[in-house]
Amino acid sequence: MQAPMPTPEQISTVDLASWTVVPSQSNPDKDERGPWAVTAGDGEQYSLYFEIADTAYPRQVAEFIVEAVQAHATQLRLSSAFDDVLHERERLRAHPAGADLYELGRGRVVAMMAQLGKLAAEAYETAPAPERAAQERRIYAEVTQLAAQAVSWMEAIHARYGIDT
């Protein structure tokens, strides 16, 4: 019996780092031209399993799928993070003290490093299970703010010195 294709909902619930390519159950000898499977999930029971069989190079097709899905998901996460930084940068610039964002004074750098140190310490402290999601959201918001400040300083350097990238 052939397994059904996974739905987007199933795919989005599985840790992308766990995606791998394995010989299918009907290919115990790991024949390159035999069926191969894309799997994901932890443990003996995969959360996601589908076979690639009717092609000249099933293993390469399966590897391509895994690499493409991981690259696409990475790009989506990165794009989302950059969008959040841009939104925070605009929010900070709209604040009355927003013009100061472009000034890279010693006090600002020291404050940023101190904030980064606190975040690093907090990130390594495991919060009780009911508080973990709130802790992650708080850390993410603070990292986003630091990144927005860093981007503003980069813009200021570009403006002052005409650095081309």
Side-chain angles (χ1 to χ4, degrees):
M1 179 171 128
Q2 187 171 357
M5 284 301 292
T7 65
E9 292 79 22
Q10 287 172 302
I11 291 172
S12 66
T13 62
V14 180
D15 179 13
L16 286 170
S18 72
W19 284 53
T20 190
V21 174
V22 298
S24 78
Q25 296 166 348
S26 63
N27 187 10
D29 295 329
K30 302 179 183 178
D31 178 10
E32 289 292 317
R33 305 250 184 199
W36 286 77
V38 173
T39 65
D42 297 325
E44 302 247 343
Q45 292 289 346
Y46 298 117
S47 301
L48 179 73
Y49 179 94
F50 62 93
E51 292 184 6
I52 310 296
D54 294 333
T55 181
Y57 302 98
R59 181 178 182 169
Q60 287 87 349
V61 170
E63 289 170 344
F64 173 80
I65 290 170
V66 169
E67 289 172 17
V69 167
Q70 289 174 334
H72 179 67
T74 298
Q75 185 60 41
L76 289 175
R77 284 192 302 262
L78 186 59
S79 178
S80 180
F82 284 145
D83 287 347
D84 292 344
V85 169
L86 181 60
H87 177 75
E88 178 63 10
R89 178 186 154 278
E90 292 303 319
R91 188 190 73 75
L92 289 172
R93 288 184 66 198
H95 190 271
D100 293 343
L101 283 176
Y102 295 117
E103 296 305 317
L104 184 57
R106 180 176 293 193
R108 184 169 292 235
V109 172
V110 169
M112 183 177 167
M113 293 299 113
Q115 186 179 6
L116 188 58
K118 284 183 195 177
L119 284 172
E122 184 177 357
Y124 285 101
E125 292 176 14
T126 304
E131 298 171 19
R132 283 189 193 134
Q135 179 189 34
E136 286 294 320
R137 284 190 300 274
R138 186 175 58 256
I139 289 171
Y140 185 85
E142 290 184 39
V143 168
T144 302
Q145 186 177 43
L146 284 170
Q149 291 171 349
V151 166
S152 294
W153 293 339
M154 290 170 68
E155 288 177 294
I157 292 168
H158 274 272
R160 277 190 220 123
Y161 302 108
I163 294 174
D164 292 326
T165 55

